[in-house]
Amino acid sequence: MCTEPDAAVTRVFELLGKRWTGLLIAALMGGPGHFTELKRAVPGISERMLSDRLSELVAEGLVSRHVQEGPPLRVSYRLTRAGEELRPALTALSSWAEANLDGAAGRCPEEFHAPPARKPPAEPDA
């Protein structure tokens, strides 16, 4: 017997089911990125679509936008805590896809397990 998906499932797929959205979130799992880095990380996305998707993710509270005063002025994007909480779901989906979808194997879902190690800031000389 088919049942109607609940509101939460419907809302998740309305947001994450949009083309490029999941790939952008996956790209940001590795850490913050600038617009041009994200464009390179998601082959085929246009600048307009990248801008639109980033704006949507910022509005939804999954991504934060940080402006670094210049010159040159630079904008970076990073996952918020809510965005980071998608890591287990994306890891599970990636593992499922590798096991069940033709052509999905090849990229290890390990990239979603933990953010890359960050170097601590250098201590100033006393």
Side-chain angles (χ1 to χ4, degrees), residues 30-55:
H34 295 99
F35 190 90
T36 55
E37 294 166 338
L38 292 170
K39 180 140 177 25
R40 273 194 303 262
V42 183
I45 192 169
S46 70
E47 288 185 7
R48 169 69 188 242
M49 185 59 67
L50 176 57
S51 179
D52 288 351
R53 289 296 181 258
L54 287 170
S55 294

Side-chain angles (χ1 to χ4, degrees), residues 1-14:
M1 175 171 158
C2 291
T3 60
E4 185 175 327
D6 68 19
V9 168
T10 300
R11 182 69 181 103
V12 165
F13 281 100
E14 284 174 354

Side-chain angles (χ1 to χ4, degrees), residues 8 21 25 35-37 51 53 56 75 83 102 113 116 124:
T21 301
I25 292 170
F35 190 90
T36 55
E37 294 166 338
S51 179
R53 289 296 181 258
E56 289 173 359
V75 178
D102 289 339
H113 286 205

Side-chain angles (χ1 to χ4, degrees), residues 55-73:
S55 294
E56 289 173 359
L57 290 170
V58 168
E60 291 291 339
L62 298 177
V63 171
S64 60
R65 182 179 186 268
H66 302 273
V67 178
Q68 299 147 349
E69 297 300 326
L73 182 80

